Amino acid sequence: MATIQNVVSTCKISQNYINLHDIPEKIKNAHYNPTKFNAAIIKLDEPKATILLFSSGRFVCTGTKNICDNKTACENICRLLDTTCFSEYKIHNVVGSGYVGHCIDLIGLANTHKHIVQYESEIFPGAKIKYPNSKATALIFTSGKIIVTGLKNEAEVHAFYNKILNLVHNNIY
């Protein structure tokens, strides 16, 4: 079973312009340095999340472990900004990971499934699995660790993870 590691979403608050220089004074754990990044970075404790707030009123919410916490973090940032609503809430990525409990032969996996597996150990220590016509990607490591990304909800993460488990089954040692 995959464990959800990160949910990334975007939203827009009702204000069309935010003076980002004021954000660190208004919100605890907020930082803004326009010479480094053109957004205020806000760390929330509950739920644990990071918000990248842009002057347009758009923001990115990342770092939550499930979609419910992600939406709650978006609601919390709106309260902190003294605005009551947000719109255009969209999940962009749900990342999951798991461990098969054994090592995986990445060379064998790549040789068996050349059409969907890329493995170049000199460039990256893991194999990349990408199915045609799918936005989902899996990273497989010799240690047995599997990371799945590019999906929009938790059910898709679990289904894709199980598909990957079936694919690597014959290459476990």
Side-chain angles (χ1 to χ4, degrees), residues 11-15 17-24 26-27 30-33 37-43 50-61 74 77-78 80-81 83:
C11 292
K12 175 152 181 37
I13 62 169
S14 57
Q15 295 169 290
Y17 175 76
I18 298 172
N19 184 348
L20 297 178
H21 293 282
D22 295 342
I23 297 301
K26 287 183 177 180
I27 300 174
H31 306 282
Y32 178 57
N33 184 346
F37 188 57
N38 201 23
I41 301 169
I42 305 164
K43 301 279 189 176
T50 299
I51 306 292
L52 307 176
L53 176 64
F54 296 88
S55 61
S56 65
R58 294 194 177 279
F59 63 91
V60 176
C61 178
C74 292
I77 201 67
C78 288
L80 290 171
L81 293 168
T83 185

Side-chain angles (χ1 to χ4, degrees), residues 92-105:
H92 289 273
N93 194 15
V94 179
V95 180
S97 70
Y99 175 65
V100 298
H102 300 281
C103 294
I104 301 171
D105 174 15

Side-chain angles (χ1 to χ4, degrees), residues 7-157:
V7 177
V8 180
S9 69
T10 56
C11 292
K12 175 152 181 37
I13 62 169
S14 57
Q15 295 169 290
N16 288 326
Y17 175 76
I18 298 172
N19 184 348
L20 297 178
H21 293 282
D22 295 342
I23 297 301
E25 295 170 13
K26 287 183 177 180
I27 300 174
K28 177 183 144 190
N29 295 328
H31 306 282
Y32 178 57
N33 184 346
T35 60
K36 288 189 177 183
F37 188 57
N38 201 23
I41 301 169
I42 305 164
K43 301 279 189 176
L44 296 178
D45 292 330
E46 192 56 43
K48 189 172 173 69
T50 299
I51 306 292
L52 307 176
L53 176 64
F54 296 88
S55 61
S56 65
R58 294 194 177 279
F59 63 91
V60 176
C61 178
T62 187
T64 58
K65 301 287 187 186
N66 60 60
I67 292 171
C68 182
D69 282 353
N70 187 278
K71 196 159 193 173
T72 299
C74 292
E75 292 165 350
N76 289 351
I77 201 67
C78 288
R79 275 194 291 282
L80 290 171
L81 293 168
D82 295 324
T83 185
T84 55
C85 64
F86 63 90
S87 61
E88 302 174 37
Y89 178 76
K90 183 177 179 184
I91 299 291
H92 289 273
N93 194 15
V94 179
V95 180
S97 70
Y99 175 65
V100 298
H102 300 281
C103 294
I104 301 171
D105 174 15
L106 298 182
I107 295 170
L109 181 67
N111 288 336
T112 306
H113 303 284
K114 292 177 183 172
H115 61 292
I116 58 170
V117 178
Q118 294 177 337
Y119 179 56
E120 297 179 45
S121 61
E122 304 83 24
I123 297 172
F124 184 71
K128 178 181 171 183
I129 298 178
K130 181 91 169 136
Y131 286 94
N133 303 320
S134 173
K135 294 187 180 203
T137 301
L139 301 175
I140 314 295
F141 297 92
T142 303
S143 66
K145 178 93 172 184
I146 299 174
I147 299 170
V148 295
T149 186
L151 299 157
K152 304 289 185 191
N153 64 57
E154 295 169 24
E156 289 177 350
V157 168

